[in-house]
Amino acid sequence: MRWARWIYFGWCAAAVVYLLIANMRGYVPFSSSTVSHGGSHSGAGGGHGIYYHK
Amino acid sequence: MIRCPACPADVELRAEGQSAMVACSACGTEIDVSQRPPRIIHRFNEAPRRPLLPLGSRGTLRDRDLQVIGALQRSDSKGYWHEYLLFNSSTGFCWLVYDTCHWSFGVAVEDTSQLVVNALVRYEGRGYRRFRSGTAEVDWVVGEFYWGVHRGEQVFYVDYIAPPLMLTSERARGETVWTKLEYIEPAQIDAAFGIKSPPRQWVSSNQPNPARLQLRRILPALVASCVAVAAIQIGTVLRVREVTFPSANYHFGAVNEAPEKVFGPFAFTAPHSLNEVTASAGLNNSWVELDCVLVNATTGETFEFTDAFSYYSGSDSDGSWSEGGFQNTALLADIPSGTYNLVVEGLGADQSGRPLSQPVTLSLRHDVVPWTNFWLVLLAILAYPGYLLYRGRADEKERWESATP
């Protein structure tokens, strides 16, 4: 079981690094959003910085 | 070296002058060597015994060069075990006990005045719990011994444990002898004597609890990780901005009509952030589904998500029931800084398909604390120690199942 100690040590280190990076980026697993890069959306700006209320 | 009086074999004396008897390894005949000429105690004529540690084999244990000079098997109602007598001309005699694939190294307790025997035995500052007792009988003997042990000899024994230590008292013919045993890893025996011990099947009486031993080994990594995780999360809580924008209402349209409405602009100032969009409404046997798009007003980058919830209630033969809820929160992760608009197209209806008359309230919180990561990482870190805790308890249960009152 001695090798398990080092696997656990690596596992903990990876978990801590994950937490650090994920928290810095505001990332969470199972989030609700899907990203669409570079697209545009009708009436919502589409790169022109305009918005309106219907 | 003497000639066996019962068979043609030579019998080697490895502790000559200190041995009281020897059992011929060829025929098993027990010979009294405290007298000259040697005298037969019990004559046997059986196949040679092959103990796991061969007679005459040498090894170094506890910084002592030891030679195996005798072996015997005892048994009681629970099973059998082997006891090996080892000899060093400077340090004298000691024991190796082999019991169900486990080894213990034993030395006689010379000064029994240090023993305090109650329900718990205290010796050299440690408390030993009574573990097992019974009457053990010698099944067979080979090699030489410093007392007149013989086949069929019975002793009443009591084992007291404080893993990895064990104290054993053996009473026979009105005399009580105490032995202190210490658990020794089979790999050490294998390395010392060049043998291959069988794999261990279960936890023995004085074996250190393997899971708790492992828990102690990983404790530094566990503590360090928990400290690091707490520090990172506290730092995150202090760092995030947690901006709550004013809430707005979304009004539904006619049947099957999902009017598009745009809310904003919202200034996301954090470089990368987690954001929450909470939709809530006082539903009653109705549902809401909002298709939302968060649009970067500068780049046009979009983040699509759905906020849906429903609430139903009623009563049946089992009583009243309800399911669902009055709100739902969508998490928008890893959103870059910028100015955003929230575009919403929603549908909502009751059981009859009528559009909802009351609006849905939308609340947007920018740069919130990502607690999901914290709990997941904590779970990942604590899962193995948790398993070891469980395993440790199970091992102790297994250990004490072989105990006797």
Side-chain angles (χ1 to χ4, degrees), chain B residues 252-335:
Chain B
F252 296 98
V255 177
N256 292 330
E257 186 182 305
E260 180 184 275
K261 296 204 176 172
V262 182
F263 302 92
F266 306 109
F268 285 10
T269 52
H272 289 273
S273 62
L274 178 67
N275 304 276
E276 281 180 4
V277 177
T278 301
S280 59
L283 300 184
N284 183 20
N285 291 320
S286 48
W287 57 270
V288 166
E289 184 175 319
L290 305 175
D291 291 325
C292 308
V293 184
L294 191 68
V295 185
N296 188 312
T298 308
T299 64
E301 191 175 21
T302 58
F303 300 87
E304 298 171 12
F305 62 97
T306 302
D307 229 343
F309 58 105
S310 61
Y311 181 81
Y312 293 95
S313 64
S315 61
D316 55 20
S317 57
D318 295 329
S320 60
W321 58 269
S322 68
E323 64 179 36
F326 299 110
Q327 67 173 44
N328 184 59
T329 298
L331 284 174
L332 310 178
D334 199 5
I335 307 293

Side-chain angles (χ1 to χ4, degrees), chain A residues 2, chain B residues 103 183-190 200 207-208 213 217:
Chain A
R2 288 181 186 277
Chain B
W103 292 92
Y183 189 85
I184 191 161
E185 288 293 325
Q188 281 182 268
I189 300 293
D190 294 356
R200 290 173 284 194
Q207 182 185 5
L213 213 58
R217 287 194 197 110

Side-chain angles (χ1 to χ4, degrees), chain B residues 326-356:
Chain B
F326 299 110
Q327 67 173 44
N328 184 59
T329 298
L331 284 174
L332 310 178
D334 199 5
I335 307 293
S337 60
T339 301
Y340 287 88
N341 293 310
L342 180 61
V343 183
V344 180
E345 292 179 7
L347 288 172
D350 59 16
Q351 280 175 308
S352 309
R354 286 190 298 268
L356 293 182

Side-chain angles (χ1 to χ4, degrees), chain A residues 8 26-27 32 34 37 39 49 54, chain B residues 260 297 300-301 331 334 373 381:
Chain A
Y8 179 70
Y27 170 80
S32 312
T34 56
H37 288 281
K54 276 188 178 174
Chain B
E260 180 184 275
E301 191 175 21
L331 284 174
D334 199 5
N373 296 327
I381 288 172

Side-chain angles (χ1 to χ4, degrees), chain B residues 86-105:
Chain B
L86 295 95
F87 178 67
N88 174 289
S89 55
S90 304
T91 57
F93 298 99
C94 57
W95 292 93
L96 274 177
V97 178
Y98 175 78
D99 187 0
T100 55
C101 310
H102 295 272
W103 292 92
S104 292
F105 180 81

